Amino acid sequence: MTSDSTLRDAASRWIAADPDPATRAELEALLTRAADDPVAAEDLADRLAGPLEFGTAGLRGPVRAGPNGMNVAVVTRTTAGVAQWLHGHGHAGALVVVGRDARHGSEAFATAAAEVLTAAGFDVKVFPRPLPTPVLAFAVGRLGAVAGIQITASHNPPADNGYKLYDATGGQIVPPSDGEIERAIEAAPPAAEVPRAPGAEVVDLLPRYLDEVATLPLGHERAVRVAATALHGVGADTLRAAFERAGFTDLHLVGEQTAPDPDFPTVSFPNPEEPGATDLLLALASDVDADLAIALDPDADRCALGVRERDGRWRMLRGDETGVLLGSYVLSTVDRTTLPDPLVATTIVSSSMLGEIAKAEGARYAETLTGFKWLVRAGEGLVFAYEEALGLCVNPGFVRDKDGIAAATLAAGLAAQLKAQGRTPLDVLDELAQRHGVHLTDQVSLRVTDLAVRGQLMAKVRETPPARLGGVEVALEDLLPDADVVRLTGDGVRVVVRPSGTEPKLKAYLQVVAPVTDALADARGAAQERLTALRADVEELLT
């Protein structure tokens, strides 16, 4: 905004067009305070800095009044744009499914989206209660919908909410759809002028989804004790129901984190990857003498696994460890008479071990850009896909997205089989390392307050790339224009640098690969030393 008067005019126009009295009052009060309070003035300017950007991940932002936030007005105009986009692609009057999680504002946002679509002439179906995102993705495919909308901010901080869009494939949208929708949103009328109408049909697809989860290759063993947490999200009831349907009865949930709570009171950041987020889970796993620990993120599309080390301590597996563990298991269960040429996939920032496993199993392997919108489009015959950020798709036949509930259920089946054999997931990971080499991964994540810093650092790496990293010579590969990504590779070393698509971060993904020629412990130690050196070099590179 160029001046106080411009700022006040913009705020007044937004207030006049906001159909929600609560956010109108919120912005009016802020506008009044901004007249003599510099902090309020800065807050107001931020809320009016521009519309919340719509991309392939949809919308995500803080729940607050104004165009640069998640609120009924923004959701209304966004959905008007989606409706226009669907009309333009020949889907007038077709079926759209709307779901939601339990975050602040989710019910009101889902209602607004459903009513805008109903008024626009679509056949709209909504869920009766907050449910995991994978159930929405399942419903799009099972009902033959042309689109699905899930109101969720996944594992973002408590103040946030979001809007995730699926297309007729049952997967998340990809370019150029995001740009087309963004232009349609820009052309939409003020929110107060967008027609809304009740009348969406309430449907419950959860029983059908659970039936499908129970058909996964779970083996015959069911004697396994699992500790799990939903991190105050919507996954607990669905996980419990999935386990019961599949025959796993020894499930222990972290009581303090079982009921949905949009304030996430026991965690500072509701993401299983964050330090401290799984402390209560691992304590419970130890207390109940569990065989496996499972953490879902708040909308239950991600799944993290925890295991007991040989010294008795519990730890969470890294996303790549979980990915190769379940990927190798899925490949071992594929019926080659019906699917002779299966495909597994991961992303360019994940461990390359899955490719080695696929080669050994005579399966195809693909690497895609980051994001499940690309992974589920990796090719025909896809049986498994994962990304290192705890995203797992063990069931592409009925959910074309990451699915924490299905992954957790499959992991319980694998753990039960291993327990019956006197083995553990760590034994499997050791065997994979012996066979395919030690693959160690790590991440350097730089959070920024000014998004321009990310572009400056990416330009620096491109213009003056390092000659050596982690003690070896590396060469740079630039993935532009397909993606804002650079890859630095050398003998047994790989670094991938990219801006995050959902957070104000620049991320570098590190991998070291070392063959096992003698003792596995020695190979791991040498790989860890190189990874430590590599991390130090990358941290210096990104300063």
Side-chain angles (χ1 to χ4, degrees):
M1 297 296 167
T2 58
S3 68
D4 289 346
S5 61
T6 302
L7 190 67
R8 296 180 69 84
D9 288 346
S12 297
R13 286 195 301 273
W14 183 265
I15 291 166
D18 189 343
D20 184 349
T23 46
R24 281 202 309 270
E26 178 185 333
L27 201 58
E28 286 170 347
L30 182 62
L31 181 59
T32 299
R33 295 199 308 275
D36 52 15
D37 181 348
V39 174
E42 184 178 350
D43 186 8
L44 183 65
D46 184 48
R47 292 170 186 242
L48 298 168
L52 203 59
E53 182 179 352
F54 189 94
T56 55
L59 298 173
R60 275 193 204 174
V63 178
R64 61 182 185 179
N68 194 20
M70 280 293 296
N71 52 67
V72 168
V74 165
V75 168
T76 296
R77 294 191 71 247
T78 297
T79 309
V82 170
Q84 185 59 43
W85 174 71
L86 290 171
H87 272 285
H89 284 267
H91 297 310
L95 172 63
V96 181
V97 189
V98 179
R100 61 184 171 95
D101 67 10
R103 283 178 176 263
H104 290 296
S106 286
E107 184 173 6
F109 301 159
T111 298
E115 291 184 350
V116 169
L117 289 164
T118 299
F122 290 91
D123 176 13
V124 184
K125 300 189 187 302
V126 298
F127 291 160
R129 60 192 177 281
L131 286 170
T133 295
V135 181
L136 184 281
F138 167 78
V140 172
R142 183 50 54 95
L143 297 176
V146 297
I149 296 167
Q150 177 78 353
I151 303 298
T152 180
S154 188
H155 55 281
N156 272 39
D160 289 0
N161 211 326
Y163 184 111
K164 184 178 290 188
L165 181 64
Y166 293 80
D167 64 19
T169 69
Q172 296 177 49
I173 60 168
V174 295
S177 295
D178 56 335
E180 295 171 353
I181 294 168
E182 189 164 30
R183 289 188 290 274
I185 295 168
E186 291 171 357
E193 298 175 19
V194 175
R196 289 175 55 173
E201 179 187 358
V202 178
V203 296
D204 190 353
L205 269 288
L206 183 59
R208 294 164 69 178
Y209 166 80
L210 294 172
D211 287 342
E212 292 285 359
V213 172
T215 67
L216 292 170
L218 305 175
H220 301 295
E221 303 294 337
R222 293 295 182 269
V224 63
R225 179 168 296 169
V226 177
T229 179
L231 287 184
H232 301 292
V234 297
D237 287 347
T238 302
L239 181 66
R240 185 186 291 113
F243 270 39
E244 289 176 354
R245 188 76 57 97
F248 300 109
T249 59
D250 200 353
L251 174 65
H252 301 257
L253 290 164
V254 176
E256 303 97 314
Q257 299 174 333
T258 295
D261 188 332
D263 293 320
F264 302 98
T266 68
V267 288
S268 57
F269 203 113
N271 180 351
E273 292 182 292
E274 293 292 326
T278 57
D279 286 355
L280 290 176
L281 169 66
L282 297 184
L284 175 65
S286 179
D287 289 346
V288 302
D289 193 25
D291 302 300
L292 183 69
I294 294 173
L296 303 174
D297 75 338
D299 69 329
D301 64 347
R302 285 176 170 82
C303 172
L305 301 184
V307 297
R308 185 181 3 228
E309 290 279 13
R310 292 180 176 88
D311 63 4
R313 291 180 297 176
W314 279 84
R315 74 169 177 94
M316 301 303 295
L317 296 179
R318 297 185 66 87
D320 283 316
E321 291 177 302
T322 299
V324 299
L325 178 71
L326 294 187
S328 64
Y329 174 63
V330 168
L331 276 176
S332 75
T333 67
V334 173
D335 182 353
R336 296 301 182 92
T337 60
T338 59
L339 189 60
D341 195 22
L343 170 69
V344 295
T346 190
T347 71
I348 59 173
V349 303
S350 301
S351 169
S352 59
M353 183 187 275
L354 184 63
E356 298 302 315
I357 295 169
K359 186 188 303 182
E361 294 289 337
R364 289 177 296 132
Y365 169 73
E367 288 184 2
T368 73
L369 297 176
T370 55
F372 258 86
K373 57 184 176 286
W374 301 117
L375 281 171
V376 297
R377 293 172 168 88
E380 294 298 318
L382 184 68
V383 296
F384 174 80
Y386 93 92
E387 58 184 358
E388 52 77 40
L390 306 180
L392 297 151
C393 180
V394 301
N395 51 331
F398 62 92
V399 172
R400 288 177 55 79
D401 198 10
K402 52 190 173 295
D403 185 344
I405 300 295
T409 308
L410 187 78
L414 171 59
Q417 292 180 62
L418 293 173
K419 182 179 181 180
Q421 299 164 8
R423 302 165 67 220
T424 72
L426 290 179
D427 293 322
V428 177
L429 290 173
D430 283 351
E431 292 162 8
L432 291 173
Q434 289 276 10
R435 197 174 306 140
H436 305 296
V438 173
H439 289 62
L440 295 186
T441 57
D442 200 358
Q443 185 181 133
V444 174
S445 183
L446 177 67
R447 182 176 288 273
V448 300
T449 54
D450 180 1
L451 292 182
V453 172
R454 301 193 306 183
Q456 294 163 5
L457 288 171
M458 291 296 293
K460 170 189 169 184
V461 175
R462 287 186 168 102
E463 293 165 7
T464 56
R468 298 176 67 84
L469 287 173
V472 301
E473 293 184 0
V474 294
L476 181 140
E477 178 187 5
D478 194 341
L479 274 59
L480 283 175
D482 294 331
D484 187 9
V485 176
V486 295
R487 183 159 44 192
L488 299 151
T489 55
D491 184 18
V493 166
R494 187 199 68 195
V495 176
V496 181
V497 185
R498 72 175 183 94
S500 171
T502 58
E503 299 174 283
K505 293 180 178 179
L506 185 69
K507 293 185 174 182
Y509 302 84
L510 287 52
Q511 177 179 261
V512 167
V513 180
V516 180
T517 56
D518 194 4
L520 177 58
D522 292 342
R524 281 205 170 115
Q528 185 60 58
E529 286 183 9
R530 176 172 284 188
L531 183 63
T532 300
L534 180 62
R535 182 181 180 91
D537 287 350
V538 171
E539 288 175 342
E540 183 177 352
L541 177 68
L542 298 184
T543 56

